[in-house]
């Protein structure tokens, strides 16, 4: 019956975790998946999360079905983080927000909505992008195309080409954007460039879909949301998927949100209804635990403040690792330019290593990065950064 079923080649990012676990090299380093490890190489539990967990556990509370849209406090937390606490659109009821199963769940519900209500729209993603963007939209029968983005030659952005490309697209086409900490390149648009991008989007009647999975890891919570808030100021329709996997270190709890900014409160009500109907027919309603943690941390003033400072210390540690990696590589290979390491933002660095060099790092040194040369800087620490830098220098010089 099932012999005609294709074998699955495995996921290029998540598959690395199994390979890493199976490697017996005591010096092995995991720089594959986008996960933040602390200075001791451990996955942290944030202090604000520990406190929220204590409150949830004392007393242990029942587990009812949540509403299809998730907890009100989780949704409010997403909205205030993305649009700002005092945003007028929130007061006016223009935003339909649901709690989702991670950022991935938000993308999936958004893709299903687009397929149903904008069946002729194509979705354009940056070249390159997070591979699952393409899989999720295609999996919802939305046709996916690529727009010019990363410029290999300069390590910057093909900005003029990108703008010219947007200027050829059709009304209602979806433009998937990374508001901060672009995955996989770490190369972000400047504020001025965002303004230009959003102006073309507005002029051609395109719909921005902003996927923000690293808010707080770039500059700060507000600056990282610049593109989102600018689109709102310009009165654009807008989809935003957000993830708490990284900035709350809650990967396995699968918490995120999907927000759709509408022109009127009535539109927002219609969209909200269709989003929760989408949830109902895919997984019915979200789980309780992660939503409760998000609700507590986002809505308790003191815990929220503590959370922000914890995110910023993760951000700063990543930045210090960028500097350290750069200085060792520069000393080893003075003729090569490693400025990209400190110019790029967020968890990732696009190193430009060839697939063969990435493979050598894996087999000879037990160092895992994605085959497209993406290195997760958040997996480095003072104990392994020299080892990684030396290994990189060795494969680069060969
Ligand atoms: N969007 C982006 C841009 C992203 O990098 C990830 C995860 C997600 C959404 C998904 O978020 P989640 O809340 O986990 O559903 N990226 C890392 C993990 C992965 O591939 O799933 C990564 O790129 O390594």
């Amino acid at each position: 019956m099932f012999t005609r079923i294709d074998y699955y080649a495995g996921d290029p990012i998540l598959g690395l975790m199994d390979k890493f676990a199976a490697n017996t090299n005591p010096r092995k380093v995991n720089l594959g998946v986008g996960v933040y490890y602390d200075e001791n190489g451990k996955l942290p539990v944030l202090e604000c999360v520990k406190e929220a967990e204590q409150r949830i556990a004392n007393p242990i509370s029942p587990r009812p079905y949540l509403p299809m849209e998730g907890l009100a406090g989780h949704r409010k937390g997403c909205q205030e983080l993305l649009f700002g606490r005092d945003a007028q659109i929130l007061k006016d009821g223009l935003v339909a927000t649901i709690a989702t199963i991670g950022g991935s769940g938000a993308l999936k519900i958004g893709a299903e909505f687009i397929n149903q209500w904008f069946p002729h729209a194509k979705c354009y993603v940056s070249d390159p992008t997070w591979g699952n963007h393409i899989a999720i939209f295609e999996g919802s029968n939305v046709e996916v195309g690529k727009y010019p983005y990363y410029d290999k030659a300069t390590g910057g952005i093909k900005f003029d080409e990108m703008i010219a490309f947007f200027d050829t697209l059709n009304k209602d086409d979806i433009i998937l954007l990374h508001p901060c900490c672009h995955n996989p390149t770490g190369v972000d648009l400047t504020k001025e460039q965002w303004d230009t991008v959003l102006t073309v989007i507005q002029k051609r009647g395109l719909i921005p879909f902003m996927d923000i999975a690293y808010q707080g890891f770039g500059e700060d919570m507000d600056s990282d949301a610049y593109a989102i808030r600018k689109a709102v100021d310009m009165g654009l329709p807008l989809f935003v998927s957000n993830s708490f996997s990284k900035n709350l270190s809650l990967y396995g709890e699968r918490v995120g949100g999907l927000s759709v900014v509408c022109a009127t409160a009535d539109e927002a009500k219609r969209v909200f209804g269709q989003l929760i109907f989408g949830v109902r027919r895919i997984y019915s309603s979200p789980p309780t635990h992660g939503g409760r943690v998000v609700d507590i941390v986002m809505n308790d003033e003191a815990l929220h403040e503590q959370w922000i400072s914890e995110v910023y210390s993760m951000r700063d540690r990543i930045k210090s690792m960028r500097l350290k990696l750069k200085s060792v590589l520069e000393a080893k290979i003075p003729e090569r330019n490693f400025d990209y390491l400190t110019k790029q933002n967020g968890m990732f660095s696009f190193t430009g290593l060839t697939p063969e060099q990435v493979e050598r790092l894996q087999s000879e040194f037990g160092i895992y990065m994605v085959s497209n040369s993406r290195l997760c800087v958040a997996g480095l620490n003072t104990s392994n950064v020299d080892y990684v830098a030396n290994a990189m220098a060795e494969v680069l010089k060969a």
Side-chain angles (χ1 to χ4, degrees), residues 171-352:
K171 185 175 173 302
D172 291 350
D173 277 343
I174 312 291
I175 311 295
L176 192 86
L177 299 155
H178 306 218
C180 67
C181 308
H182 185 269
N183 180 4
T185 66
V187 182
D188 289 329
L189 298 172
T190 64
K191 291 189 166 77
E192 294 68 33
Q193 288 176 324
W194 274 117
D195 295 351
T196 309
V197 164
L198 293 171
T199 304
V200 182
I201 283 179
Q202 186 162 46
K203 183 181 104 187
R204 293 209 68 95
L206 312 175
I207 306 175
F209 193 132
M210 302 206 187
D211 181 31
I212 182 158
Y214 303 92
Q215 191 172 357
F217 285 93
E219 262 180 80
D220 58 65
M221 290 292 176
D222 292 323
S223 307
D224 289 355
Y226 175 81
I228 294 170
R229 296 179 191 179
K230 178 74 187 187
V232 168
D233 288 346
M234 290 169 65
L236 286 165
L238 173 67
F239 288 78
V240 185
S241 49
N242 76 287
S243 168
F244 289 114
S245 298
K246 333 273 173 174
N247 57 18
L248 270 170
S249 192
L250 280 180
Y251 305 87
E253 290 299 342
R254 315 301 302 127
V255 270
L258 174 65
S259 298
V260 185
V261 180
C262 304
T264 66
D266 179 62
E267 272 190 16
K269 209 168 162 182
R270 291 164 192 265
V271 170
F272 182 74
Q274 291 303 324
L275 294 180
I276 63 175
F277 183 32
V279 167
R280 176 61 168 156
R281 62 183 182 250
I282 300 179
Y283 58 85
S284 196
S285 61
T288 43
H289 188 80
R292 285 177 178 167
V293 175
V294 170
D295 180 4
I296 293 170
V297 175
M298 294 300 135
N299 295 299
D300 179 296
E301 202 67 44
L303 286 187
H304 189 270
E305 218 168 276
Q306 182 176 4
W307 172 58
I308 301 282
S309 79
E310 290 187 85
V311 177
Y312 291 170
S313 62
M314 292 194 275
R315 174 200 64 192
D316 294 344
R317 201 191 74 75
I318 295 173
K319 284 187 193 285
S320 73
M321 284 302 123
R322 287 185 179 280
L323 278 169
K324 177 77 188 166
L325 183 62
K326 179 170 176 257
S327 74
V328 181
L329 282 167
E330 277 172 344
K332 291 256 165 197
I333 320 181
E335 65 278 15
R336 209 178 156 113
N337 189 329
F338 291 101
D339 287 350
Y340 69 85
L341 282 167
T342 46
K343 279 193 195 146
Q344 296 165 345
N345 297 313
M347 277 196 187
F348 304 119
S349 191
F350 217 42
T351 61

